[in-house]
Amino acid sequence: MALEKSWRWFGFGDPVQLSDLKQIGIEGVVTALHHIPNGEVWPVPEIMKVKSAIEAHGMRWTVVESLPVSEGIKTRNADYERLVANYKQSLRNLGECGIDTVCYNFMPVLDWVRTSLHYQLPNGGEVMYFDFATFVAFDVFILKRPNAATEYPEDIVAKAEQISTAMSEEEQEKLAHNIIIVSQGFIDGTIDSSVTDYKNAFLQFLETYSHIDRDKLREHLSLFLKDVVPVAEESGVNLCIHPDDPPFPVLGLPRIVSTQDDLEWICDQVDSTVNGLTFCTGSLSVNRENNLEQIVQKLGHRIHFTHLRNNVFLENRAFHEYGHIEGDVDMYPIVKALLKEQIRRKESGRKDFRIPFRPDHGVKMLDDYNRSANPGYPLIGRLKGLAELSGMQMAIERELNNPIPDSSNSTMK
Ligand code: DNO
């Protein structure tokens, strides 16, 4: 059986309608209650409104992406008890409504980061790009985070200075706005578009982590898991943490969900299947030491959700996104490992043997230029990825069920 075909849908305002998703063969919808402010309880009637609409179109709400973990939980500030009580209540409410998978992340202040949201490919398509030196230019020379320059090698800072000097004021502002607002707003990030002095607000958020290093953040994640996993268990909800994107520390902030070791450490904090992972190939592959196939083989039993996305890796830690089965990430062994994991689960009698996957991000192409979409979420580019990844799965499944005899051993003439 193929992975569950799923699709990120941004709710009733999404230009891609639920009826469109049905047409393209989606089984499971991935969505969130984007209108509920970060940190507040998701009420049962609101959950049911979305769930019923999805079911009325013959699909199911397969994953919540995301139930946001507020900054006050990550920093364990004075509001922690209220925020975690709300988080638990949302989990109970989701469980009561029969929603069984919740994705979240534990990235401080900033979720995913790119330095360009509109990088032109030679064939006219458009993807998102991360350039390390440009990111340093943002940090040191545009945001002017105190002492930031001391955290990077001198040659990178020199390059960053050249980059920022060559930019107009307007271009500098656009870079900051994209990083702080445009790429975060639609995923219920920390700072929304109504904040005018967003650079200062952002600096203040960064400051709340001045005493939180990697060990401290790990401790906070561990305590959070010990608080919420028992509630998720009682509610019949699997939790799945999304990896850091990109998987290394940024802006002096610790990032603790970047490597296989990190994932193993997280799984060990609470020994329960409910304490699981979102396996995101686009994020994890950026750390070239991560062996993605091996991660599936080792931690597959904890993977509750998959994002399949590809990248092209360039020099100096730069990368850009790409077509789902093109690029530098070899999807074939990874998808095969995921399909084998489903078989293992089914054979062991696990009810949740099916792993939902969504084509993550996509190349903007064709009619995408005439449609509005959140950064990274063009319709046609994702649809192409969905089709390619589905075809790949069909071929792998055939191969797993009926191994083709090796022609050199064949007796047929
Ligand atoms: C970006 C997404 C992330 C992801 C969250 C999950 O496109 O992959 O924003 O949804 O990190 O919590």
Side-chain angles (χ1 to χ4, degrees), residues 8 65-66 103-105 107 111-112 187 242 361 377:
R8 191 169 196 182
E65 180 176 0
S66 305
C103 166
Y104 68 101
N105 74 72
M107 287 177 256
D111 192 316
W112 60 300
I187 43 167
H242 187 285
H361 300 178
Y377 289 88

Side-chain angles (χ1 to χ4, degrees), residues 298-316:
K298 185 93 197 277
L299 299 169
H301 58 292
R302 294 283 186 104
I303 294 175
H304 301 310
F305 182 30
T306 314
H307 289 177
L308 299 179
R309 169 162 68 77
N310 220 313
N311 292 313
V312 170
F313 302 112
L314 307 162
E315 280 186 356
N316 300 323

